[in-house]
């Protein structure tokens, strides 16, 4: 594998980015604009209804973010002009044919100019509606592939998946593709076309029965979890992402394709600055619940490895992979696990310890302006024990409160409602994250190690410093206490 200068490669290139308002996509776009101002054009695909909403989303959800602060400081008054020249926002939807592009002239323009397609679009909600997740995470891949076939000068297609398409795998998990129809538990009959028909039939049935939109939403969520569980995946998100990967093995036609499988993505380690994160993501919801004093206990293997990787390192790996595989047409699809469980593992115990240290030193300030005093998180080693603990310590007192509330003519209704909501939220969170709290796999990263070696050989030390994606450099205690948790708290206050 040969890899030259990433900065030089990006010069005069035209790139299409789907899912442009997503966390990873924004880091990707900002990085390119900052390190290679001579990139020709970046098309950003957004789902919008009209030009006004498109401009609003672009200004508020992309370039208006604090992430672009360094670029704004560097360019000063020229920022808006530069952005207008380099970024082109396109109304589209990857769940539709031709990516939902309606303007034939614009479509031809993109087909003739695009050098690289980066598909970051996804719904990452674990229990998303099945019809929505299938449309974006699975069918979206097919639509992106079909669109790529029409691009006259396309050098490569990079697809961002997730390492957890392996389900609840154990041991060393290899960087291998998912083949069409292969379930994780050996149950036969997995067929994407049949899944699409099943969704359509279920929606038609619900409409004939006069179901409300809320009832349809719940039914679609239940259906997704049922189908995922049937074939061995723990949730709708990873199930539909795995099926999306399957489409690459059957639909690939003479295009250089790379699949990036990041593990749990956390806040930026270094660029454009440390600690940038958006919203409360995956394990961060647990950290916020703990810091605010609403999470007294949780479930998980304290000795188990929790594979996390900062978002800027994922983007650096993406850019290295794009540079290495451009125009390397092959029948093989290259897959990169981008994580830390092999090269610099961190345990759940270490993360919990860091959380306790951080929130003890810098407690969350509640609505009354008072600091929240946290205790060491009680970790239970199975779901059954967790349910018993929650019943005795929380659900039973809640039942008593409900009885008192009825006796005193609902004078304690607000207290009861808030307590009930918090308790059941903790239970739902535990059930949702159980597969990851007890995850016993580590992700083989031999392909990523080779990519890193090629990057070090092909770039000078200064440029390599801009694109490092080796998690060995991370001191996890320092990262969580001084970078990640402060970033999560800052982001949570904005949410």
């Amino acid at each position: 594998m040969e890899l030259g200068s990433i900065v030089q490669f990006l010069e005069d290139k035209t790139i299409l980015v789907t899912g442009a308002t997503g966390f990873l996509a924004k880091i990707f776009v900002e990085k390119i604009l900052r390190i290679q101002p001579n990139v020709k054009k970046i098309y950003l695909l957004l789902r919008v209804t009209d030009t006004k909403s498109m401009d609003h989303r672009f200004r508020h959800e992309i370039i208006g973010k604090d992430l672009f602060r360094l670029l704004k400081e560097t360019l000063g008054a020229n920022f808006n002009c530069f952005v207008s020249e380099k970024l082109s926002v396109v109304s589209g939807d990857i769940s539709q044919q031709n990516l939902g592009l309606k303007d034939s002239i614009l479509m031809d323009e993109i087909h003739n100019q695009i050098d690289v397609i980066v598909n970051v679009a996804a719904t990452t909600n674990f229990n998303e509606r099945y019809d929505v997740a299938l449309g974006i995470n699975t069918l979206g891949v097919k639509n992106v592939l079909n669109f790529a076939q029409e691009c006259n000068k396309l050098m490569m297609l990079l697809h961002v998946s997730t390492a957890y398409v392996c389900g609840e795998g154990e041991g060393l998990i290899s960087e291998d593709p998912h083949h069409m129809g292969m379930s994780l538990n050996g149950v036969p009959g997995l067929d994407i076309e049949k899944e699409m028909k099943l969704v359509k039939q279920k929606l038609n049935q619900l409409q004939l029965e006069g179901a409300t939109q809320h009832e349809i939403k719940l039914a679609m969520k239940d259906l997704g979890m049922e189908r995922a569980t049937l074939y061995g995946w723990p949730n709708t998100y990873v199930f539909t992402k795995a099926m999306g990967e399957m489409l690459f093995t059957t639909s690939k036609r003479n295009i250089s394709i790379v699949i990036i499988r990041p593990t749990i993505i956390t806040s930026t380690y270094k660029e454009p600055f440390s600690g940038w994160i958006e919203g409360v993501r995956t394990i961060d919801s647990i950290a916020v619940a703990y810091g605010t004093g609403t999470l007294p206990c949780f479930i998980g293997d304290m000795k188990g490895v929790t594979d996390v990787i900062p978002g800027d390192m994922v983007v650096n790996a993406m850019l290295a992979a794009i540079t290495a595989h451009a125009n390397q047409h092959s029948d093989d699809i290259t897959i990169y696990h981008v994580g830390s469980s092999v090269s610099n593992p961190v345990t759940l115990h270490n993360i919990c310890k860091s959380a306790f240290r951080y929130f003890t030193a810098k407690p969350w300030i509640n609505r009354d302006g008072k600091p929240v005093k946290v205790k060491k998180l009680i970790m239970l080693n199975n779901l059954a024990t967790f349910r018993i603990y929650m019943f005795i310590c929380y659900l039973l007192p809640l039942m008593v409160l409900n009885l008192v509330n009825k006796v005193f003519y609902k004078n304690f209704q607000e207290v009861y409602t808030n307590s009930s909501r918090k308790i059941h939220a903790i239970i739902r969170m535990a059930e949702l994250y159980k597969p990851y709290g007890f995850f016993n796999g580590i992700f083989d990263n031999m392909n990523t190690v080779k990519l890193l070696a090629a990057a070090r050989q092909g770039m000078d030390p200064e440029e390599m410093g801009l694109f490092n994606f080796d998690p060995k450099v991370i001191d996890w205690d320092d990262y969580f206490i001084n970078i990640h948790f402060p970033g999560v708290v800052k982001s949570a206050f904005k949410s």
Side-chain angles (χ1 to χ4, degrees), residues 80-146:
N80 287 331
C81 182
F82 175 75
V83 163
S84 297
E85 179 189 350
K86 299 300 179 180
L87 301 182
S88 180
V89 185
V90 178
S91 175
D93 183 350
I94 70 162
S95 67
Q96 305 295 322
Q97 289 184 344
N98 296 319
L99 307 187
L101 298 179
K102 306 298 182 184
D103 187 334
S104 59
I105 297 175
L106 176 62
M107 195 187 310
D108 289 340
E109 175 188 313
I110 295 174
H111 282 155
N112 292 326
Q113 293 187 16
I114 290 296
D115 297 297
V116 176
I117 295 176
V118 179
N119 182 35
V120 199
T123 172
T124 58
N125 188 343
F126 285 179
N127 65 334
E128 180 64 89
R129 287 178 55 141
Y130 195 33
D131 53 338
V132 173
L134 266 179
I136 298 172
N137 295 345
T138 306
L139 187 60
V141 170
K142 181 179 180 180
N143 292 328
V144 169
L145 271 168
N146 289 339

Side-chain angles (χ1 to χ4, degrees), residues 157-430:
L157 163 62
L158 182 139
H159 172 73
V160 178
S161 184
T162 170
Y164 294 95
V165 289
C166 66
E168 298 175 77
E170 297 183 350
L172 188 66
I173 298 160
S174 61
E175 295 166 302
D176 291 334
H178 280 279
H179 295 287
M180 184 62 72
M182 297 295 292
S183 67
L184 293 182
N185 56 7
V187 172
L190 176 56
D191 184 302
I192 294 172
E193 291 298 324
K194 287 183 179 178
E195 294 302 308
M196 300 296 290
K197 289 178 181 177
L198 178 65
V199 165
K200 191 174 181 179
Q201 290 170 358
K202 184 66 175 179
L203 285 171
N204 288 337
Q205 177 190 339
L206 289 166
Q207 288 167 359
L208 287 172
E209 292 172 354
T212 64
Q213 287 301 310
H214 180 67
E215 289 170 338
I216 292 173
K217 178 182 177 180
L218 293 179
M220 283 293 105
K221 284 189 172 188
D222 289 344
L223 181 61
M225 294 297 284
E226 287 170 12
R227 302 305 290 178
T229 304
L230 173 64
Y231 292 113
W233 279 271
N235 56 61
T236 306
Y237 165 55
V238 292
F239 177 43
T240 52
K241 289 294 282 186
M243 287 192 288
E245 284 197 19
M246 292 175 190
L247 289 169
F248 282 114
T249 63
T250 57
S251 305
K252 184 177 181 297
R253 304 169 198 161
N254 196 33
I255 298 176
S256 179
I257 295 177
V258 167
I259 296 176
I260 297 287
R261 287 181 185 162
T263 53
I264 299 170
I265 304 175
T266 52
S267 60
T268 54
Y269 174 67
K270 184 178 178 182
E271 291 199 10
F273 48 84
S274 300
W276 187 79
I277 195 166
E278 188 174 46
V280 179
R281 307 171 55 80
T282 56
I283 61 169
D284 300 329
S285 59
I286 301 170
V288 169
Y290 172 66
T292 55
T294 58
L295 187 71
C297 65
F298 209 64
I299 57 171
D301 178 6
M302 291 292 274
K303 296 179 181 178
V305 172
T306 301
D307 199 318
V308 293
I309 188 76
D312 53 335
M313 285 196 171
V314 178
V315 164
N316 290 344
M318 290 165 62
L319 289 166
I322 288 169
T323 306
H325 291 274
N327 283 331
Q328 300 295 314
H329 300 296
S330 168
D331 290 335
D332 296 325
I333 297 170
T334 307
I335 296 172
Y336 293 103
H337 280 153
V338 184
S340 60
S341 56
V342 169
S343 55
N344 188 13
V346 58
T347 64
L348 182 59
H349 171 73
N350 288 339
I351 296 175
C352 290
K353 185 173 69 173
S354 294
F356 176 71
R357 286 177 59 194
Y358 174 76
F359 286 109
T360 299
K362 297 180 180 179
W364 191 285
I365 305 301
N366 64 21
R367 292 179 180 178
D368 298 326
K370 297 179 181 179
V372 176
K373 188 176 181 180
V374 296
K375 298 178 181 178
K376 288 187 177 180
L377 188 63
I378 298 169
M379 293 297 290
L380 303 168
N381 58 12
N382 60 68
L383 191 57
T385 305
F386 171 79
R387 284 173 174 158
I388 293 170
Y389 179 89
M390 289 299 294
F391 179 80
I392 294 172
C393 296
Y394 295 95
L395 290 175
L396 202 57
L398 185 67
M399 293 176 186
V400 174
L401 177 60
N402 187 33
L403 182 61
V404 172
N405 184 46
K406 290 178 179 178
V407 171
F408 287 91
Y409 305 101
K410 297 191 175 182
N411 285 336
F412 300 97
Q413 184 63 42
E414 185 177 351
V415 176
Y416 170 77
T417 302
N418 289 337
S419 299
S420 177
R421 178 177 52 81
K422 289 176 182 178
I423 291 168
H424 286 96
I426 292 169
I427 294 171
R428 285 195 301 273
M429 190 185 296

